[in-house]
Amino acid sequence: MRKSGTTPTLDLVDVGEHVCWIVEPHQGYAAVTSAFLADGELFGDKLVIVGSPLDPIASAEVPRDATLVDPRSVRGDGPTPDLGSMLGLVRREADMAGRQGYRALRVLAVMDQLIPPETEIEALIDHELRLDRLVADHEAIMVCAYGHDSFGAATLDHVACVHPRELGNGRAGPSFRMFSSGPGSWAVCGVVDSDGAAAFGAAL
């Protein structure tokens, strides 16, 4: 049974978890990121950062053996991001991690550098749900960091609904969460009310 809801710290994130992190300004992004990657080193995980470790994590300590993926190589140069390439990257790296002797794949995705703000919300929700199934099936750890100032409030609420976990930072969060619960099945936790109806419809 996968965990759902908020987590006060990324220290508590375990294998098979897919976490939404709405990054608030001046939140101490560098310290949190460094700790998340250091935990990966401690537990023997393969570390992948999708996006450049520049602002807002310019001072973060990036482990020497972490793989840095240029976001342009994943999203392509077209007017809309190639989200399928991101899924393929995670699948390949997760398969390789097992063969290379790592415990699991641990990914930090800097979504501001991957997803243009004008991306249609339906495409983004579809991507996150497919990614969630992949994380669960391959027993990876995935943290999707969305800058609060880079996306609209409605987009962030919709995105949080399709992550089983969210890093707790004082945000009210969504009224429900939808996530993979096994091959061909999905779980919904919480309450689908009038505020969450549009997000639930998009997820379905």
mmCIF file of all heavy atoms in Angstrom, residues 8-13 21 28-43 45 47 49 57 59-63 106 108 141 143 167:
data_model
loop_
_atom_site.group_PDB
_atom_site.id
_atom_site.type_symbol
_atom_site.label_atom_id
_atom_site.label_comp_id
_atom_site.label_asym_id
_atom_site.label_seq_id
_atom_site.Cartn_x
_atom_site.Cartn_y
_atom_site.Cartn_z
ATOM 1 N N PRO A 8 6.648 15.970 6.075
ATOM 2 C CA PRO A 8 7.282 17.202 6.550
ATOM 3 C C PRO A 8 8.706 17.403 6.045
ATOM 4 O O PRO A 8 9.223 18.514 6.045
ATOM 5 C CB PRO A 8 7.262 17.036 8.078
ATOM 6 C CG PRO A 8 7.235 15.560 8.296
ATOM 7 C CD PRO A 8 6.438 15.008 7.160
ATOM 8 N N THR A 9 9.333 16.337 5.599
ATOM 9 C CA THR A 9 10.719 16.415 5.139
ATOM 10 C C THR A 9 10.980 15.326 4.118
ATOM 11 O O THR A 9 10.351 14.264 4.150
ATOM 12 C CB THR A 9 11.707 16.268 6.316
ATOM 13 O OG1 THR A 9 13.031 16.168 5.813
ATOM 14 C CG2 THR A 9 11.386 15.044 7.143
ATOM 15 N N LEU A 10 11.920 15.573 3.222
ATOM 16 C CA LEU A 10 12.275 14.554 2.235
ATOM 17 C C LEU A 10 13.084 13.424 2.852
ATOM 18 O O LEU A 10 13.294 12.393 2.213
ATOM 19 C CB LEU A 10 13.050 15.183 1.072
ATOM 20 C CG LEU A 10 12.252 16.131 0.163
ATOM 21 C CD1 LEU A 10 13.142 16.683 -0.943
ATOM 22 C CD2 LEU A 10 11.045 15.424 -0.438
ATOM 23 N N ASP A 11 13.533 13.587 4.088
ATOM 24 C CA ASP A 11 14.258 12.503 4.771
ATOM 25 C C ASP A 11 13.384 11.269 4.913
ATOM 26 O O ASP A 11 13.890 10.145 5.012
ATOM 27 C CB ASP A 11 14.708 12.949 6.168
ATOM 28 C CG ASP A 11 15.744 14.060 6.115
ATOM 29 O OD1 ASP A 11 16.288 14.304 5.017
ATOM 30 O OD2 ASP A 11 15.998 14.686 7.151
ATOM 31 N N LEU A 12 12.066 11.465 4.952
ATOM 32 C CA LEU A 12 11.141 10.364 5.193
ATOM 33 C C LEU A 12 10.665 9.701 3.904
ATOM 34 O O LEU A 12 9.890 8.749 3.953
ATOM 35 C CB LEU A 12 9.923 10.876 5.982
ATOM 36 C CG LEU A 12 10.239 11.545 7.321
ATOM 37 C CD1 LEU A 12 8.960 12.091 7.952
ATOM 38 C CD2 LEU A 12 10.939 10.575 8.258
ATOM 39 N N VAL A 13 11.111 10.197 2.761
ATOM 40 C CA VAL A 13 10.685 9.633 1.475
ATOM 41 C C VAL A 13 11.354 8.287 1.253
ATOM 42 O O VAL A 13 12.557 8.128 1.467
ATOM 43 C CB VAL A 13 11.013 10.604 0.324
ATOM 44 C CG1 VAL A 13 10.738 9.970 -1.016
ATOM 45 C CG2 VAL A 13 10.209 11.881 0.478
ATOM 46 N N TRP A 21 6.728 18.861 -4.917
ATOM 47 C CA TRP A 21 7.316 19.884 -4.050
ATOM 48 C C TRP A 21 7.030 21.242 -4.667
ATOM 49 O O TRP A 21 7.597 21.597 -5.695
ATOM 50 C CB TRP A 21 8.816 19.649 -3.907
ATOM 51 C CG TRP A 21 9.536 20.630 -3.036
ATOM 52 C CD1 TRP A 21 8.988 21.551 -2.195
ATOM 53 C CD2 TRP A 21 10.954 20.795 -2.944
ATOM 54 N NE1 TRP A 21 9.966 22.269 -1.563
ATOM 55 C CE2 TRP A 21 11.188 21.829 -2.001
ATOM 56 C CE3 TRP A 21 12.047 20.163 -3.544
ATOM 57 C CZ2 TRP A 21 12.470 22.254 -1.666
ATOM 58 C CZ3 TRP A 21 13.323 20.585 -3.213
ATOM 59 C CH2 TRP A 21 13.532 21.608 -2.280
ATOM 60 N N GLY A 28 14.768 27.789 1.384
ATOM 61 C CA GLY A 28 15.909 26.961 1.721
ATOM 62 C C GLY A 28 16.050 25.791 0.767
ATOM 63 O O GLY A 28 16.347 24.664 1.162
ATOM 64 N N TYR A 29 15.828 26.074 -0.517
ATOM 65 C CA TYR A 29 15.823 25.045 -1.551
ATOM 66 C C TYR A 29 17.157 24.288 -1.601
ATOM 67 O O TYR A 29 17.181 23.073 -1.718
ATOM 68 C CB TYR A 29 15.538 25.711 -2.894
ATOM 69 C CG TYR A 29 15.181 24.780 -4.032
ATOM 70 C CD1 TYR A 29 13.881 24.323 -4.185
ATOM 71 C CD2 TYR A 29 16.142 24.385 -4.961
ATOM 72 C CE1 TYR A 29 13.540 23.491 -5.245
ATOM 73 C CE2 TYR A 29 15.807 23.554 -6.018
ATOM 74 C CZ TYR A 29 14.507 23.112 -6.145
ATOM 75 O OH TYR A 29 14.177 22.280 -7.175
ATOM 76 N N ALA A 30 18.252 25.025 -1.499
ATOM 77 C CA ALA A 30 19.568 24.395 -1.609
ATOM 78 C C ALA A 30 19.793 23.383 -0.502
ATOM 79 O O ALA A 30 20.275 22.272 -0.735
ATOM 80 C CB ALA A 30 20.660 25.463 -1.586
ATOM 81 N N ALA A 31 19.433 23.729 0.732
ATOM 82 C CA ALA A 31 19.656 22.832 1.864
ATOM 83 C C ALA A 31 18.815 21.573 1.735
ATOM 84 O O ALA A 31 19.294 20.454 1.982
ATOM 85 C CB ALA A 31 19.335 23.557 3.174
ATOM 86 N N VAL A 32 17.555 21.720 1.336
ATOM 87 C CA VAL A 32 16.668 20.562 1.190
ATOM 88 C C VAL A 32 17.161 19.649 0.082
ATOM 89 O O VAL A 32 17.188 18.414 0.220
ATOM 90 C CB VAL A 32 15.219 21.021 0.913
ATOM 91 C CG1 VAL A 32 14.324 19.816 0.636
ATOM 92 C CG2 VAL A 32 14.680 21.812 2.096
ATOM 93 N N THR A 33 17.566 20.243 -1.037
ATOM 94 C CA THR A 33 18.064 19.460 -2.164
ATOM 95 C C THR A 33 19.338 18.712 -1.809
ATOM 96 O O THR A 33 19.490 17.530 -2.127
ATOM 97 C CB THR A 33 18.320 20.382 -3.372
ATOM 98 O OG1 THR A 33 17.107 21.028 -3.739
ATOM 99 C CG2 THR A 33 18.836 19.594 -4.555
ATOM 100 N N SER A 34 20.263 19.394 -1.142
ATOM 101 C CA SER A 34 21.518 18.752 -0.744
ATOM 102 C C SER A 34 21.261 17.563 0.170
ATOM 103 O O SER A 34 21.880 16.506 0.033
ATOM 104 C CB SER A 34 22.431 19.764 -0.046
ATOM 105 O OG SER A 34 22.825 20.780 -0.928
ATOM 106 N N ALA A 35 20.325 17.729 1.105
ATOM 107 C CA ALA A 35 20.009 16.641 2.037
ATOM 108 C C ALA A 35 19.375 15.453 1.305
ATOM 109 O O ALA A 35 19.687 14.290 1.591
ATOM 110 C CB ALA A 35 19.076 17.153 3.133
ATOM 111 N N PHE A 36 18.504 15.743 0.344
ATOM 112 C CA PHE A 36 17.845 14.684 -0.426
ATOM 113 C C PHE A 36 18.864 13.864 -1.214
ATOM 114 O O PHE A 36 18.812 12.632 -1.250
ATOM 115 C CB PHE A 36 16.818 15.316 -1.367
ATOM 116 C CG PHE A 36 16.149 14.356 -2.315
ATOM 117 C CD1 PHE A 36 15.261 13.396 -1.849
ATOM 118 C CD2 PHE A 36 16.400 14.417 -3.682
ATOM 119 C CE1 PHE A 36 14.641 12.511 -2.718
ATOM 120 C CE2 PHE A 36 15.777 13.548 -4.555
ATOM 121 C CZ PHE A 36 14.902 12.589 -4.073
ATOM 122 N N LEU A 37 19.812 14.557 -1.840
ATOM 123 C CA LEU A 37 20.837 13.863 -2.613
ATOM 124 C C LEU A 37 21.825 13.128 -1.698
ATOM 125 O O LEU A 37 22.268 12.028 -2.015
ATOM 126 C CB LEU A 37 21.575 14.857 -3.500
ATOM 127 C CG LEU A 37 20.719 15.554 -4.574
ATOM 128 C CD1 LEU A 37 21.525 16.632 -5.285
ATOM 129 C CD2 LEU A 37 20.161 14.552 -5.568
ATOM 130 N N ALA A 38 22.145 13.734 -0.548
ATOM 131 C CA ALA A 38 23.052 13.080 0.398
ATOM 132 C C ALA A 38 22.442 11.791 0.933
ATOM 133 O O ALA A 38 23.148 10.787 1.122
ATOM 134 C CB ALA A 38 23.383 14.030 1.546
ATOM 135 N N ASP A 39 21.139 11.783 1.171
ATOM 136 C CA ASP A 39 20.462 10.563 1.604
ATOM 137 C C ASP A 39 20.588 9.481 0.533
ATOM 138 O O ASP A 39 20.734 8.296 0.843
ATOM 139 C CB ASP A 39 18.984 10.840 1.880
ATOM 140 C CG ASP A 39 18.760 11.523 3.214
ATOM 141 O OD1 ASP A 39 19.703 11.555 4.022
ATOM 142 O OD2 ASP A 39 17.641 12.028 3.446
ATOM 143 N N GLY A 40 20.505 9.901 -0.733
ATOM 144 C CA GLY A 40 20.659 8.939 -1.823
ATOM 145 C C GLY A 40 22.024 8.279 -1.806
ATOM 146 O O GLY A 40 22.144 7.074 -2.011
ATOM 147 N N GLU A 41 23.051 9.080 -1.561
ATOM 148 C CA GLU A 41 24.400 8.523 -1.444
ATOM 149 C C GLU A 41 24.486 7.554 -0.276
ATOM 150 O O GLU A 41 25.081 6.477 -0.370
ATOM 151 C CB GLU A 41 25.412 9.647 -1.247
ATOM 152 C CG GLU A 41 25.842 10.357 -2.515
ATOM 153 C CD GLU A 41 27.079 11.190 -2.287
ATOM 154 O OE1 GLU A 41 27.056 12.025 -1.370
ATOM 155 O OE2 GLU A 41 28.074 11.005 -3.028
ATOM 156 N N LEU A 42 23.885 7.929 0.845
ATOM 157 C CA LEU A 42 23.935 7.104 2.052
ATOM 158 C C LEU A 42 23.282 5.747 1.841
ATOM 159 O O LEU A 42 23.805 4.716 2.284
ATOM 160 C CB LEU A 42 23.247 7.848 3.198
ATOM 161 C CG LEU A 42 23.159 7.123 4.546
ATOM 162 C CD1 LEU A 42 24.554 6.914 5.125
ATOM 163 C CD2 LEU A 42 22.283 7.911 5.515
ATOM 164 N N PHE A 43 22.148 5.727 1.136
ATOM 165 C CA PHE A 43 21.393 4.490 0.952
ATOM 166 C C PHE A 43 21.798 3.713 -0.306
ATOM 167 O O PHE A 43 21.262 2.639 -0.567
ATOM 168 C CB PHE A 43 19.893 4.783 0.902
ATOM 169 C CG PHE A 43 19.329 5.231 2.211
ATOM 170 C CD1 PHE A 43 18.816 6.511 2.360
ATOM 171 C CD2 PHE A 43 19.313 4.390 3.317
ATOM 172 C CE1 PHE A 43 18.303 6.938 3.570
ATOM 173 C CE2 PHE A 43 18.795 4.801 4.532
ATOM 174 C CZ PHE A 43 18.285 6.078 4.664
ATOM 175 N N ASP A 45 21.670 4.839 -3.645
ATOM 176 C CA ASP A 45 20.770 5.065 -4.773
ATOM 177 C C ASP A 45 21.530 5.689 -5.938
ATOM 178 O O ASP A 45 22.540 6.381 -5.749
ATOM 179 C CB ASP A 45 19.636 6.023 -4.369
ATOM 180 C CG ASP A 45 18.743 5.439 -3.288
ATOM 181 O OD1 ASP A 45 18.702 4.205 -3.158
ATOM 182 O OD2 ASP A 45 18.097 6.237 -2.578
ATOM 183 N N LEU A 47 21.695 8.582 -8.459
ATOM 184 C CA LEU A 47 21.187 9.949 -8.393
ATOM 185 C C LEU A 47 21.112 10.573 -9.780
ATOM 186 O O LEU A 47 22.098 10.585 -10.522
ATOM 187 C CB LEU A 47 22.086 10.802 -7.505
ATOM 188 C CG LEU A 47 22.377 10.257 -6.105
ATOM 189 C CD1 LEU A 47 23.344 11.162 -5.371
ATOM 190 C CD2 LEU A 47 21.100 10.095 -5.314
ATOM 191 N N ILE A 49 19.614 14.212 -11.652
ATOM 192 C CA ILE A 49 18.987 15.528 -11.577
ATOM 193 C C ILE A 49 18.621 15.938 -12.990
ATOM 194 O O ILE A 49 19.494 16.067 -13.853
ATOM 195 C CB ILE A 49 19.928 16.580 -10.965
ATOM 196 C CG1 ILE A 49 20.391 16.146 -9.568
ATOM 197 C CG2 ILE A 49 19.238 17.936 -10.884
ATOM 198 C CD1 ILE A 49 21.473 17.048 -8.988
ATOM 199 N N ILE A 57 19.125 26.459 -6.848
ATOM 200 C CA ILE A 57 19.961 25.570 -6.036
ATOM 201 C C ILE A 57 21.436 25.759 -6.371
ATOM 202 O O ILE A 57 22.219 24.826 -6.382
ATOM 203 C CB ILE A 57 19.554 24.089 -6.215
ATOM 204 C CG1 ILE A 57 19.625 23.666 -7.683
ATOM 205 C CG2 ILE A 57 18.174 23.827 -5.674
ATOM 206 C CD1 ILE A 57 19.456 22.178 -7.873
ATOM 207 N N SER A 59 23.822 26.953 -4.711
ATOM 208 C CA SER A 59 24.749 26.612 -3.643
ATOM 209 C C SER A 59 24.577 25.185 -3.137
ATOM 210 O O SER A 59 25.210 24.799 -2.166
ATOM 211 C CB SER A 59 24.571 27.590 -2.466
ATOM 212 O OG SER A 59 23.254 27.529 -1.975
ATOM 213 N N ALA A 60 23.714 24.414 -3.779
ATOM 214 C CA ALA A 60 23.511 23.042 -3.335
ATOM 215 C C ALA A 60 24.751 22.201 -3.628
ATOM 216 O O ALA A 60 25.440 22.404 -4.615
ATOM 217 C CB ALA A 60 22.300 22.437 -4.051
ATOM 218 N N GLU A 61 25.016 21.274 -2.742
ATOM 219 C CA GLU A 61 26.145 20.378 -2.928
ATOM 220 C C GLU A 61 25.674 19.181 -3.761
ATOM 221 O O GLU A 61 24.913 18.355 -3.298
ATOM 222 C CB GLU A 61 26.685 19.913 -1.577
ATOM 223 C CG GLU A 61 27.267 21.039 -0.735
ATOM 224 C CD GLU A 61 27.804 20.531 0.587
ATOM 225 O OE1 GLU A 61 27.867 19.290 0.768
ATOM 226 O OE2 GLU A 61 28.153 21.364 1.434
ATOM 227 N N VAL A 62 26.125 19.115 -5.002
ATOM 228 C CA VAL A 62 25.737 18.031 -5.903
ATOM 229 C C VAL A 62 26.790 16.932 -5.815
ATOM 230 O O VAL A 62 27.971 17.180 -6.084
ATOM 231 C CB VAL A 62 25.611 18.537 -7.357
ATOM 232 C CG1 VAL A 62 25.253 17.396 -8.282
ATOM 233 C CG2 VAL A 62 24.576 19.648 -7.433
ATOM 234 N N PRO A 63 26.410 15.706 -5.430
ATOM 235 C CA PRO A 63 27.386 14.620 -5.331
ATOM 236 C C PRO A 63 28.112 14.393 -6.646
ATOM 237 O O PRO A 63 27.548 14.586 -7.734
ATOM 238 C CB PRO A 63 26.518 13.409 -4.966
ATOM 239 C CG PRO A 63 25.322 14.003 -4.282
ATOM 240 C CD PRO A 63 25.072 15.305 -4.986
ATOM 241 N N ARG A 106 16.968 7.501 -7.749
ATOM 242 C CA ARG A 106 16.485 8.683 -7.021
ATOM 243 C C ARG A 106 16.600 9.880 -7.957
ATOM 244 O O ARG A 106 17.686 10.260 -8.359
ATOM 245 C CB ARG A 106 17.319 8.883 -5.758
ATOM 246 C CG ARG A 106 16.923 10.098 -4.923
ATOM 247 C CD ARG A 106 17.764 10.166 -3.655
ATOM 248 N NE ARG A 106 17.444 9.105 -2.733
ATOM 249 C CZ ARG A 106 16.986 9.272 -1.490
ATOM 250 N NH1 ARG A 106 16.808 10.502 -1.031
ATOM 251 N NH2 ARG A 106 16.735 8.254 -0.714
ATOM 252 N N LEU A 108 15.573 13.940 -8.980
ATOM 253 C CA LEU A 108 15.065 15.286 -8.713
ATOM 254 C C LEU A 108 14.820 15.944 -10.064
ATOM 255 O O LEU A 108 15.749 16.094 -10.860
ATOM 256 C CB LEU A 108 16.067 16.112 -7.907
ATOM 257 C CG LEU A 108 15.730 17.601 -7.763
ATOM 258 C CD1 LEU A 108 14.479 17.793 -6.920
ATOM 259 C CD2 LEU A 108 16.903 18.376 -7.180
ATOM 260 N N ILE A 141 12.443 6.592 -6.729
ATOM 261 C CA ILE A 141 12.070 7.729 -5.886
ATOM 262 C C ILE A 141 12.107 8.958 -6.782
ATOM 263 O O ILE A 141 13.114 9.228 -7.424
ATOM 264 C CB ILE A 141 13.053 7.918 -4.713
ATOM 265 C CG1 ILE A 141 13.104 6.664 -3.838
ATOM 266 C CG2 ILE A 141 12.663 9.134 -3.882
ATOM 267 C CD1 ILE A 141 14.221 6.696 -2.812
ATOM 268 N N VAL A 143 11.109 13.154 -7.089
ATOM 269 C CA VAL A 143 10.652 14.423 -6.537
ATOM 270 C C VAL A 143 10.537 15.418 -7.680
ATOM 271 O O VAL A 143 11.515 15.695 -8.377
ATOM 272 C CB VAL A 143 11.621 14.955 -5.462
ATOM 273 C CG1 VAL A 143 11.204 16.363 -5.030
ATOM 274 C CG2 VAL A 143 11.648 14.028 -4.258
ATOM 275 N N LEU A 167 5.559 17.466 -0.324
ATOM 276 C CA LEU A 167 6.405 17.976 0.743
ATOM 277 C C LEU A 167 5.648 19.075 1.473
ATOM 278 O O LEU A 167 5.254 20.068 0.871
ATOM 279 C CB LEU A 167 7.718 18.517 0.171
ATOM 280 C CG LEU A 167 8.710 19.081 1.199
ATOM 281 C CD1 LEU A 167 9.162 17.988 2.157
ATOM 282 C CD2 LEU A 167 9.926 19.696 0.502
#
